[in-house]
Amino acid sequence: TVAGPRTGRARARALDVTATARTGLAVGDTFTLEPVAGIQVVNVDLELVSPTVQGTDVSTSGGFIVGGRSAIRPLEFLELYGQYTFGYLFGGSGRVVAMEVKRGEVGARVMSAEALGLFAGYRWATYDQRRESRESDANLKFRGPVFGVELHF
């Protein structure tokens, strides 16, 4: 038994790699509405430190995602978009049996070349890990700015 409140520290980091394909409805060169499907690999690194408990865990899971995306292109090189995806990933390394990933994003993309785009936006993501029967599940929520490079094929 531990008397009184205890403070601790938790740290979680997720590396998320996704490859998607999309196609759909386009109204001229201005508006698009597209279904999204693809594959996703996620590596999650967890650390918990308190006066009574200390633990770390690293796991990698992979699987499939589906979702939708809508965009408006006010200028030829600029796209404003919103996207939501749901992924069901299977265990792999570590003690994770399965993981559900829900991800929403809004942002802007600048197409600097035909096959290359730069994007920046805001992302909400949840990673719900189900683990082996005797272990605690991990339910992580991330939100914040996101930026990167897109390659188009």
Side-chain angles (χ1 to χ4, degrees):
T1 304
V2 177
R6 301 285 185 204
T7 59
R9 176 176 59 85
R11 180 188 55 78
R13 193 176 358 197
L15 174 61
D16 189 328
V17 178
T18 306
T20 60
R22 61 182 202 251
T23 185
L25 172 70
V27 177
D29 289 334
T30 306
F31 176 77
T32 59
L33 184 61
E34 305 168 304
V36 175
I39 58 174
Q40 182 174 28
V41 176
V42 175
N43 176 271
V44 176
D45 181 0
L46 303 170
E47 178 183 32
L48 176 63
V49 178
S50 75
T52 58
V53 177
Q54 184 169 349
T56 60
D57 185 61
V58 177
S59 63
T60 302
S61 302
F64 302 97
I65 64 169
V66 294
R69 184 177 196 276
S70 182
I72 297 172
R73 187 178 283 180
L75 302 170
E76 184 178 335
F77 63 90
L78 177 66
E79 178 182 75
L80 306 174
Y81 69 90
Q83 179 171 301
Y84 180 83
T85 57
F86 172 82
Y88 190 81
L89 313 182
F90 305 95
S93 67
R95 297 179 293 264
V96 175
V97 174
M99 182 186 318
E100 290 181 3
V101 179
K102 297 172 194 148
R103 196 166 67 183
E105 184 176 323
V106 293
R109 183 174 71 140
V110 175
M111 284 75 74
S112 57
E114 186 173 320
L116 181 67
L118 304 173
F119 71 93
Y122 196 87
R123 182 179 290 171
W124 299 265
T126 62
Y127 299 86
D128 295 330
Q129 295 181 334
R130 289 193 300 278
R131 296 171 176 263
E132 294 175 351
S133 61
R134 294 173 160 233
E135 297 196 19
S136 297
D137 293 342
N139 300 312
L140 309 172
K141 293 181 181 181
F142 295 96
R143 65 178 184 264
V146 61
F147 58 91
V149 176
E150 290 182 335
L151 298 176
H152 301 269
F153 301 99

